[in-house]
Amino acid sequence: AMVFLLLLSAVGIGVTDWQPEWGFNYWLSMAPIFGVTCLATGWSAARSQGQSPSRVIVSQVLHWLGLAAALWIMFLFSMETGRINNADMGLVSLVLLALATFLVGVHVDWRFCIVGVVLGCTALLVAVVEQFLWLGLVPVFIGLGVYGYWRLRR
């Protein structure tokens, strides 16, 4: 699941750079996809620890609705007011997604911290080396390699 989330995020950078008006819908659709993945992980962890799954549901739904609201506000800044460049919205969206994912890692499962850090590093690398967009995928592939190695060792 973690690898899938990283790949979806890498695709999102390309989509938003290529077709900024599609970027809003793409990143907005990532909130429920990431949310369902985190919810499933949190639900499983809560059940194994004897905690109430309903608390996990409420906190994860609010967490990812918060991300969706933040993405919507940022796209309003971009599309409606022009205060943020359309081309930069992919990076802004990725940073918001990285933060939301990292925070799930802090509260639910530490592996999401790794995904959040990889997403944040990807955004940073793409911002620094924008003309070489595909170099932004290097942290994603490194993260995939570390995760795969970790899974094989288990």
Side-chain angles (χ1 to χ4, degrees), residues 8-113:
L8 286 175
S9 299
V11 168
I13 295 170
V15 166
T16 306
D17 278 351
W18 176 62
Q19 199 71 6
E21 49 281 351
W22 292 359
F24 173 69
N25 292 328
Y26 186 87
W27 290 110
L28 197 56
S29 71
M30 287 298 100
I33 291 170
F34 271 66
V36 166
T37 304
C38 295
L39 180 62
T41 303
W43 178 288
S44 175
R47 291 189 67 168
S48 69
Q49 297 170 357
Q51 298 173 348
S52 168
S54 63
R55 181 181 165 141
V56 172
I57 292 170
V58 170
S59 78
Q60 287 300 306
V61 166
L62 290 174
H63 181 90
W64 294 101
L65 282 176
L67 172 65
L71 287 169
W72 181 73
I73 290 168
M74 295 309 295
F75 275 96
L76 280 179
F77 288 163
S78 174
M79 299 294 192
E80 299 299 323
T81 66
R83 296 182 60 89
I84 296 176
N85 182 330
N86 283 346
D88 294 333
M89 279 310 302
L91 294 175
V92 170
S93 300
L94 183 56
V95 169
L96 288 171
L97 186 63
L99 176 61
T101 306
F102 182 84
L103 291 174
V104 168
V106 169
H107 298 289
V108 175
D109 183 345
W110 65 269
R111 292 176 293 184
F112 286 104
C113 285

Side-chain angles (χ1 to χ4, degrees), residues 13 94-95 98 114-128 135-140:
I13 295 170
L94 183 56
V95 169
I114 294 170
V115 174
V117 167
V118 169
L119 294 176
C121 288
T122 301
L124 181 62
L125 188 58
V126 169
V128 171
L135 286 179
L137 295 176
V138 169
V140 172

